Amino acid sequence: VVRDPGKGRDLPGGTVAVHSDVAAAIADPAVGVVVELIGGTTTAGTAVESALRAGKSVVTANKALLSARGPELFALARSKGVGIGFEASCAGGIPVMAALTYGLVGNRIDAVVGIVNGTCNFILTQMTREGQSYGDAVAGAQKLGFAEADPTMDVSGRDAAQKLALLASLAFDTRVSEEQINVEGIGELSPSDICFAGELGYVIKLLAIGQRASGSLSLRVAPTLVPKSDVLADVSGSFNAVSLYGSAVGHCLFYGRGAGSLPTASAVVSDLVQVALGTTALAQRSMAVLANEPSTPLLPFDRLMAR
Protein backbone atom coordinates (compact mmCIF):
# COMPACT_ATOMS: atom_id res chain seq x y z
CA VAL A 1 0.00 0.00 0.00
CA VAL A 2 1.59 3.26 -1.17
CA ARG A 3 0.68 6.88 -1.70
CA ASP A 4 1.38 6.77 -5.46
CA PRO A 5 0.60 3.39 -7.09
CA GLY A 6 1.82 4.74 -10.44
CA LYS A 7 5.37 5.29 -9.27
CA GLY A 8 7.91 2.84 -10.68
CA ARG A 9 9.09 0.20 -8.21
CA ASP A 10 11.56 -2.66 -8.43
CA LEU A 11 9.10 -5.46 -7.58
CA PRO A 12 8.69 -8.95 -9.05
CA GLY A 13 6.44 -8.52 -12.09
CA GLY A 14 2.87 -9.70 -11.65
CA THR A 15 3.37 -11.13 -8.16
CA VAL A 16 2.93 -8.07 -5.94
CA ALA A 17 -0.24 -5.99 -6.02
CA VAL A 18 0.36 -2.27 -5.44
CA HIS A 19 -2.49 0.07 -4.54
CA SER A 20 -3.41 2.88 -2.14
CA ASP A 21 -6.31 1.51 -0.08
CA VAL A 22 -5.07 0.57 3.40
CA ALA A 23 -8.44 -0.68 4.65
CA ALA A 24 -8.94 -2.92 1.62
CA ALA A 25 -5.49 -4.46 2.01
CA ILE A 26 -6.10 -5.24 5.68
CA ALA A 27 -9.53 -6.71 4.95
CA ASP A 28 -8.27 -8.87 2.06
CA PRO A 29 -8.62 -12.53 3.17
CA ALA A 30 -5.45 -13.38 1.25
CA VAL A 31 -3.43 -11.15 3.59
CA GLY A 32 -2.15 -13.08 6.59
CA VAL A 33 0.15 -10.53 8.21
CA VAL A 34 0.30 -6.74 8.02
CA VAL A 35 3.68 -4.96 7.97
CA GLU A 36 3.35 -1.34 9.11
CA LEU A 37 6.24 0.94 8.12
CA ILE A 38 4.37 4.25 7.99
CA GLY A 39 5.47 5.72 11.30
CA GLY A 40 3.57 8.07 13.58
CA THR A 41 0.54 7.32 15.71
CA THR A 42 -2.46 8.37 13.60
CA THR A 43 -2.82 6.53 10.28
CA ALA A 44 -0.39 3.87 11.45
CA GLY A 45 -2.27 3.41 14.71
CA THR A 46 -5.55 2.91 12.88
CA ALA A 47 -3.95 0.40 10.50
CA VAL A 48 -2.32 -1.64 13.26
CA GLU A 49 -5.47 -1.73 15.40
CA SER A 50 -7.60 -2.70 12.37
CA ALA A 51 -5.23 -5.52 11.47
CA LEU A 52 -5.23 -6.91 15.00
CA ARG A 53 -9.02 -6.70 15.26
CA ALA A 54 -9.18 -8.64 11.99
CA GLY A 55 -7.11 -11.40 13.62
CA LYS A 56 -3.93 -10.67 11.67
CA SER A 57 -0.46 -10.49 13.15
CA VAL A 58 1.45 -7.25 12.72
CA VAL A 59 5.13 -6.49 12.12
CA THR A 60 6.07 -2.89 12.84
CA ALA A 61 9.06 -0.57 13.14
CA ASN A 62 6.95 2.08 14.87
CA LYS A 63 8.56 3.03 18.19
CA ALA A 64 6.32 6.11 18.56
CA LEU A 65 3.15 4.04 18.38
CA LEU A 66 4.38 1.26 20.66
CA SER A 67 5.77 3.65 23.27
CA ALA A 68 2.38 5.43 23.34
CA ARG A 69 -0.05 2.50 22.98
CA GLY A 70 2.04 -0.66 23.38
CA PRO A 71 0.23 -2.33 26.30
CA GLU A 72 -3.18 -1.67 24.73
CA LEU A 73 -2.16 -3.08 21.34
CA PHE A 74 -0.43 -6.14 22.79
CA ALA A 75 -3.50 -6.87 24.92
CA LEU A 76 -5.66 -6.68 21.78
CA ALA A 77 -3.26 -9.01 19.94
CA ARG A 78 -3.44 -11.56 22.75
CA SER A 79 -7.24 -11.45 22.80
CA LYS A 80 -7.24 -12.25 19.06
CA GLY A 81 -4.59 -14.97 19.29
CA VAL A 82 -2.09 -13.09 17.11
CA GLY A 83 1.25 -11.37 17.75
CA ILE A 84 3.20 -8.18 17.12
CA GLY A 85 6.75 -8.33 15.76
CA PHE A 86 8.66 -5.16 16.70
CA GLU A 87 12.39 -5.86 16.38
CA ALA A 88 12.83 -2.98 13.90
CA SER A 89 11.36 -0.45 16.35
CA CYS A 90 14.71 0.07 18.10
CA ALA A 91 18.32 -0.05 16.90
CA GLY A 92 17.61 -1.03 13.30
CA GLY A 93 19.01 -4.44 12.45
CA ILE A 94 20.52 -5.09 15.91
CA PRO A 95 18.50 -7.93 17.54
CA VAL A 96 18.29 -6.28 20.95
CA MET A 97 14.52 -6.75 21.36
CA ALA A 98 14.87 -10.50 20.82
CA ALA A 99 17.72 -10.57 23.31
CA LEU A 100 15.61 -8.87 25.99
CA THR A 101 12.50 -10.94 25.25
CA TYR A 102 14.09 -14.38 24.87
CA GLY A 103 17.87 -14.57 25.07
CA LEU A 104 18.32 -12.91 28.46
CA VAL A 105 15.09 -14.13 30.05
CA GLY A 106 17.11 -15.90 32.75
CA ASN A 107 18.51 -12.58 34.00
CA ARG A 108 17.38 -9.67 36.10
CA ILE A 109 18.38 -6.72 33.90
CA ASP A 110 20.00 -4.07 36.09
CA ALA A 111 20.84 -1.46 33.47
CA VAL A 112 20.36 -0.51 29.82
CA VAL A 113 22.76 2.04 28.32
CA GLY A 114 22.61 2.80 24.64
CA ILE A 115 23.46 4.96 21.66
CA VAL A 116 20.14 4.48 19.86
CA ASN A 117 19.92 7.49 17.54
CA GLY A 118 22.23 7.34 14.54
CA THR A 119 21.57 10.94 13.51
CA CYS A 120 22.83 12.36 16.81
CA ASN A 121 25.75 9.98 16.87
CA PHE A 122 26.81 11.04 13.38
CA ILE A 123 26.56 14.72 14.32
CA LEU A 124 28.58 14.24 17.51
CA THR A 125 31.18 12.17 15.65
CA GLN A 126 31.67 14.97 13.11
CA MET A 127 31.99 17.57 15.87
CA THR A 128 34.49 15.38 17.74
CA ARG A 129 36.67 14.04 14.94
CA GLU A 130 36.39 16.80 12.32
CA GLY A 131 35.97 19.81 14.62
CA GLN A 132 32.76 20.84 12.89
CA SER A 133 30.24 23.21 14.39
CA TYR A 134 26.84 21.84 15.36
CA GLY A 135 25.18 23.55 12.38
CA ASP A 136 27.70 22.22 9.86
CA ALA A 137 27.44 18.70 11.28
CA VAL A 138 23.64 18.78 11.01
CA ALA A 139 23.87 20.02 7.42
CA GLY A 140 26.30 17.21 6.60
CA ALA A 141 23.98 14.64 8.14
CA GLN A 142 21.08 15.96 6.04
CA LYS A 143 23.17 15.88 2.86
CA LEU A 144 24.08 12.22 3.45
CA GLY A 145 20.52 11.24 4.33
CA PHE A 146 21.26 10.58 8.02
CA ALA A 147 19.01 13.45 9.13
CA GLU A 148 15.57 14.61 8.03
CA ALA A 149 14.96 18.07 6.59
CA ASP A 150 13.56 18.85 10.04
CA PRO A 151 15.86 16.97 12.44
CA THR A 152 14.06 18.08 15.61
CA MET A 153 12.74 14.63 16.51
CA ASP A 154 16.29 13.26 16.54
CA VAL A 155 18.38 16.11 17.94
CA SER A 156 15.87 16.91 20.71
CA GLY A 157 16.33 13.40 22.11
CA ARG A 158 12.67 12.43 21.63
CA ASP A 159 13.43 9.60 19.21
CA ALA A 160 15.87 8.11 21.71
CA ALA A 161 13.34 8.55 24.53
CA GLN A 162 10.71 6.56 22.62
CA LYS A 163 13.21 3.76 22.09
CA LEU A 164 14.26 3.86 25.75
CA ALA A 165 10.59 3.57 26.75
CA LEU A 166 10.39 0.27 24.86
CA LEU A 167 13.77 -1.00 26.04
CA ALA A 168 12.99 -0.17 29.67
CA SER A 169 9.51 -1.71 29.51
CA LEU A 170 11.04 -4.99 28.33
CA ALA A 171 14.18 -4.90 30.45
CA PHE A 172 12.53 -3.99 33.75
CA ASP A 173 9.10 -5.59 33.19
CA THR A 174 7.17 -2.43 33.89
CA ARG A 175 5.24 0.13 31.89
CA VAL A 176 7.23 3.16 30.76
CA SER A 177 6.05 5.99 28.50
CA GLU A 178 8.09 8.62 26.73
CA GLU A 179 6.64 11.36 28.95
CA GLN A 180 8.19 9.77 32.04
CA ILE A 181 11.75 10.06 30.73
CA ASN A 182 13.95 13.07 31.43
CA VAL A 183 15.15 14.21 27.98
CA GLU A 184 17.90 16.60 26.93
CA GLY A 185 18.97 16.97 23.31
CA ILE A 186 22.26 17.92 21.67
CA GLY A 187 21.24 21.31 20.24
CA GLU A 188 23.05 23.33 22.91
CA LEU A 189 26.42 21.59 22.50
CA SER A 190 29.31 23.65 21.16
CA PRO A 191 32.78 22.75 19.84
CA SER A 192 34.25 24.00 23.14
CA ASP A 193 32.18 21.40 25.04
CA ILE A 194 33.61 18.71 22.79
CA CYS A 195 37.13 20.09 23.25
CA PHE A 196 36.97 20.31 27.05
CA ALA A 197 35.52 16.79 27.27
CA GLY A 198 38.41 15.49 25.16
CA GLU A 199 41.01 17.21 27.35
CA LEU A 200 39.48 15.49 30.40
CA GLY A 201 39.55 12.07 28.72
CA TYR A 202 35.91 11.85 27.63
CA VAL A 203 33.79 11.70 24.48
CA ILE A 204 30.30 13.20 24.49
CA LYS A 205 27.56 10.79 23.37
CA LEU A 206 23.78 11.08 23.50
CA LEU A 207 22.94 8.14 25.76
CA ALA A 208 19.64 6.53 26.64
CA ILE A 209 20.07 5.23 30.19
CA GLY A 210 17.81 3.08 32.29
CA GLN A 211 18.99 1.56 35.56
CA ARG A 212 17.71 0.16 38.81
CA ALA A 213 18.37 2.43 41.77
CA SER A 214 17.37 1.41 45.33
CA GLY A 215 14.02 -0.08 44.39
CA SER A 216 13.28 2.56 41.76
CA LEU A 217 14.12 3.12 38.11
CA SER A 218 16.28 5.95 36.84
CA LEU A 219 15.51 6.86 33.21
CA ARG A 220 17.06 9.61 31.13
CA VAL A 221 18.27 10.64 27.68
CA ALA A 222 21.05 13.23 27.68
CA PRO A 223 24.47 14.16 26.29
CA THR A 224 26.84 12.23 28.53
CA LEU A 225 30.57 12.19 29.23
CA VAL A 226 31.75 8.72 28.20
CA PRO A 227 35.34 7.74 29.17
CA LYS A 228 37.50 7.14 26.11
CA SER A 229 38.27 3.68 27.48
CA ASP A 230 34.57 2.68 27.29
CA VAL A 231 33.50 0.70 24.23
CA LEU A 232 30.61 3.14 23.64
CA ALA A 233 33.15 5.92 23.06
CA ASP A 234 34.28 4.18 19.86
CA VAL A 235 30.78 3.88 18.36
CA SER A 236 30.98 6.36 15.49
CA GLY A 237 28.92 7.71 12.61
CA SER A 238 25.38 6.41 12.26
CA PHE A 239 26.06 3.18 14.15
CA ASN A 240 24.13 2.21 17.29
CA ALA A 241 25.18 0.23 20.35
CA VAL A 242 23.26 -1.00 23.38
CA SER A 243 24.87 -2.26 26.58
CA LEU A 244 22.78 -4.58 28.75
CA TYR A 245 23.82 -5.56 32.27
CA GLY A 246 22.29 -8.83 33.48
CA SER A 247 22.46 -10.54 36.85
CA ALA A 248 23.83 -13.77 35.32
CA VAL A 249 25.64 -12.77 32.11
CA GLY A 250 27.09 -9.47 33.27
CA HIS A 251 27.76 -7.00 30.46
CA CYS A 252 26.47 -7.71 26.93
CA LEU A 253 27.11 -5.27 24.07
CA PHE A 254 24.98 -5.16 20.91
CA TYR A 255 26.51 -3.12 18.09
CA GLY A 256 25.58 -2.48 14.48
CA ARG A 257 23.72 -0.31 12.00
CA GLY A 258 20.84 1.34 13.77
CA ALA A 259 19.02 2.68 10.72
CA GLY A 260 18.75 2.40 6.95
CA SER A 261 16.61 0.39 4.56
CA LEU A 262 18.51 -2.91 4.67
CA PRO A 263 19.15 -3.09 8.45
CA THR A 264 15.46 -2.30 9.00
CA ALA A 265 14.48 -4.89 6.41
CA SER A 266 16.65 -7.45 8.17
CA ALA A 267 14.70 -6.95 11.39
CA VAL A 268 11.34 -6.97 9.57
CA VAL A 269 12.10 -10.26 7.79
CA SER A 270 13.23 -11.80 11.08
CA ASP A 271 9.88 -10.85 12.61
CA LEU A 272 8.00 -12.21 9.58
CA VAL A 273 9.71 -15.58 9.97
CA GLN A 274 8.81 -15.72 13.68
CA VAL A 275 5.20 -14.82 12.87
CA ALA A 276 5.07 -17.48 10.15
CA LEU A 277 6.43 -20.11 12.53
CA GLY A 278 3.79 -19.17 15.08
CA THR A 279 6.31 -18.38 17.79
CA THR A 280 5.47 -14.67 18.09
CA ALA A 281 1.83 -15.12 19.11
CA LEU A 282 2.65 -18.09 21.34
CA ALA A 283 5.48 -16.34 23.18
CA GLN A 284 3.60 -13.09 23.65
CA ARG A 285 0.53 -14.88 24.95
CA SER A 286 2.57 -16.98 27.38
CA MET A 287 5.06 -14.30 28.49
CA ALA A 288 2.68 -11.30 28.48
CA VAL A 289 5.19 -9.13 26.58
CA LEU A 290 4.52 -5.43 27.20
CA ALA A 291 1.32 -6.30 29.06
CA ASN A 292 2.65 -5.10 32.35
CA GLU A 293 1.26 -2.51 34.69
CA PRO A 294 3.62 0.01 36.29
CA SER A 295 5.33 -2.06 38.97
CA THR A 296 8.53 -0.16 39.76
CA PRO A 297 8.44 3.51 40.81
CA LEU A 298 10.39 5.97 38.71
CA LEU A 299 12.77 8.41 40.34
CA PRO A 300 11.60 12.02 39.96
CA PHE A 301 13.73 14.11 37.63
CA ASP A 302 15.20 16.15 40.49
CA ARG A 303 16.48 12.97 42.18
CA LEU A 304 18.34 11.55 39.20
CA MET A 305 22.00 11.19 40.10
CA ALA A 306 25.12 10.61 38.03
CA ARG A 307 28.81 11.30 38.25
Side-chain angles (χ1 to χ4, degrees), residues 211-224:
Q211 57 190 141
R212 298 185 189 272
S214 302
S216 300
L217 290 181
S218 169
L219 301 171
R220 62 190 181 276
V221 171
T224 306

Side-chain angles (χ1 to χ4, degrees), residues 146-238:
F146 293 139
E148 303 287 343
D150 179 3
T152 303
M153 187 72 179
D154 294 311
V155 299
S156 68
R158 280 196 61 208
D159 174 84
Q162 291 174 351
K163 293 171 181 175
L164 178 58
L166 289 177
L167 289 169
S169 295
L170 283 174
F172 306 122
D173 193 31
T174 189
R175 183 180 297 185
V176 176
S177 64
E178 176 191 350
E179 292 73 23
Q180 295 174 295
I181 298 172
N182 191 35
V183 182
E184 298 176 39
I186 64 171
E188 299 301 316
L189 290 175
S190 69
S192 59
D193 294 320
I194 304 290
C195 179
F196 292 146
E199 290 179 357
L200 294 170
Y202 296 94
V203 174
I204 297 179
K205 295 290 186 182
L206 184 75
L207 295 187
I209 302 172
Q211 57 190 141
R212 298 185 189 272
S214 302
S216 300
L217 290 181
S218 169
L219 301 171
R220 62 190 181 276
V221 171
T224 306
L225 292 170
V226 178
K228 291 180 180 179
S229 59
D230 192 299
V231 289
L232 291 179
D234 290 327
V235 178
S236 62
S238 60

Side-chain angles (χ1 to χ4, degrees), residues 17-266:
V18 178
H19 54 84
S20 58
D21 191 337
V22 175
I26 293 172
D28 188 338
V31 173
V33 56
V34 174
V35 180
E36 180 274 306
L37 299 173
I38 305 169
T41 59
T42 52
T43 302
T46 300
V48 168
E49 183 176 350
S50 297
L52 296 174
R53 290 193 183 282
K56 300 180 180 185
S57 288
V58 169
V59 173
T60 178
N62 196 331
K63 74 262 178 196
L65 178 61
L66 293 182
S67 66
R69 297 179 58 192
E72 166 201 344
L73 294 173
F74 277 86
L76 175 59
R78 277 188 291 276
S79 72
K80 296 294 183 178
V82 294
I84 301 175
F86 59 109
E87 185 63 70
S89 64
C90 181
I94 306 171
V96 66
M97 295 305 198
L100 283 170
T101 306
Y102 310 113
L104 298 176
V105 72
N107 290 256
R108 180 193 69 250
I109 303 300
D110 293 317
V112 176
V113 181
I115 296 170
V116 293
N117 185 275
T119 299
C120 288
N121 203 50
F122 177 85
I123 291 169
L124 292 175
T125 298
Q126 294 301 103
M127 293 177 70
T128 301
R129 297 187 177 180
E130 305 300 329
Q132 293 185 358
S133 67
Y134 172 77
D136 287 345
V138 170
Q142 291 170 324
K143 184 176 180 180
L144 292 172
F146 293 139
E148 303 287 343
D150 179 3
T152 303
M153 187 72 179
D154 294 311
V155 299
S156 68
R158 280 196 61 208
D159 174 84
Q162 291 174 351
K163 293 171 181 175
L164 178 58
L166 289 177
L167 289 169
S169 295
L170 283 174
F172 306 122
D173 193 31
T174 189
R175 183 180 297 185
V176 176
S177 64
E178 176 191 350
E179 292 73 23
Q180 295 174 295
I181 298 172
N182 191 35
V183 182
E184 298 176 39
I186 64 171
E188 299 301 316
L189 290 175
S190 69
S192 59
D193 294 320
I194 304 290
C195 179
F196 292 146
E199 290 179 357
L200 294 170
Y202 296 94
V203 174
I204 297 179
K205 295 290 186 182
L206 184 75
L207 295 187
I209 302 172
Q211 57 190 141
R212 298 185 189 272
S214 302
S216 300
L217 290 181
S218 169
L219 301 171
R220 62 190 181 276
V221 171
T224 306
L225 292 170
V226 178
K228 291 180 180 179
S229 59
D230 192 299
V231 289
L232 291 179
D234 290 327
V235 178
S236 62
S238 60
F239 279 76
N240 282 192
V242 179
S243 281
L244 301 177
Y245 295 85
S247 58
V249 297
H251 179 206
C252 292
L253 176 69
F254 297 82
Y255 168 83
R257 296 191 179 277
S261 58
L262 290 179
T264 301
S266 171

